[in-house]
Amino acid sequence: MSFPFPPGTDEDTPFFVISVAAQLSGLHAQTLRSYDRLGLVSPGRTSGGGRRYSMRDIVLLREVQRLSQEDGVNLAGIKRIIELENEVGALRTQVNELAEQLASAMAAAEHAAASVHASYRRDLVPVRHETALVVWKPNSKR
């Protein structure tokens, strides 16, 4: 669903009242209240306690409906699926952050190694690349 967000808002900004969220998700408002009580979808709250749903909440409500009606998953199973998907998302974010840190550390290490190699003074000790064979024969004085 494509939705033009007002300036300063995004898909996580809660601004749909429960009746609009029910229409957008294709569910009854009482179902949304039940899902909120069960912890399946947690909308934002106004200072007066009214529910405000974000676009992300609407997408999640549709997914809950699909899992329940099309796939036959019970609400406890849906809750677990949502928890696991959130955990996977958090872990993916962490892996991406760690990969960026590793790439940065590798680049810094390569730069440091290049700086050290560039600082070598090759004029201090001339190196000759020759090969010599020395044969030693001890004197036999007996």
Side-chain angles (χ1 to χ4, degrees):
M1 171 182 290
S2 179
F3 185 80
F5 296 107
T9 64
D10 61 12
E11 61 195 17
D12 293 318
T13 305
F15 51 87
F16 296 114
V17 295
I18 194 166
S19 59
V20 174
Q23 277 185 320
L24 291 172
S25 64
L27 298 169
H28 192 276
Q30 193 58 41
T31 305
L32 272 60
R33 290 182 187 94
S34 295
Y35 288 174
D36 185 10
R37 280 192 298 278
L38 293 171
L40 293 173
V41 179
S42 299
R45 298 285 182 157
T46 64
S47 57
R51 292 173 176 86
R52 293 294 184 268
Y53 291 84
S54 67
M55 206 59 219
R56 187 179 305 274
D57 293 331
I58 303 300
V59 170
L60 183 57
L61 287 167
R62 287 181 172 180
E63 180 64 8
V64 168
Q65 182 183 32
R66 186 193 68 74
L67 287 169
S68 175
Q69 293 179 355
E70 294 176 18
D71 295 341
V73 180
N74 65 22
L75 294 179
I78 293 172
K79 185 173 182 176
R80 185 68 179 139
I81 289 169
I82 292 169
E83 290 169 353
L84 291 172
E85 286 180 348
N86 289 340
E87 188 175 338
V88 166
L91 290 172
R92 281 187 179 141
T93 299
Q94 186 178 15
V95 165
N96 289 337
E97 289 170 358
L98 291 172
E100 288 173 8
Q101 289 176 8
L102 178 60
S104 177
M106 293 288 286
E110 288 175 7
H111 179 71
S115 295
V116 168
H117 290 298
S119 71
Y120 291 160
R121 294 192 53 192
R122 293 182 181 10
D123 61 336
L124 292 178
V125 179
V127 178
R128 295 187 325 179
H129 297 286
E130 296 178 7
T131 306
L133 177 64
V134 177
V135 179
W136 180 64
K137 291 185 179 180
N139 287 338
S140 301
K141 293 184 182 179
R142 287 193 183 175

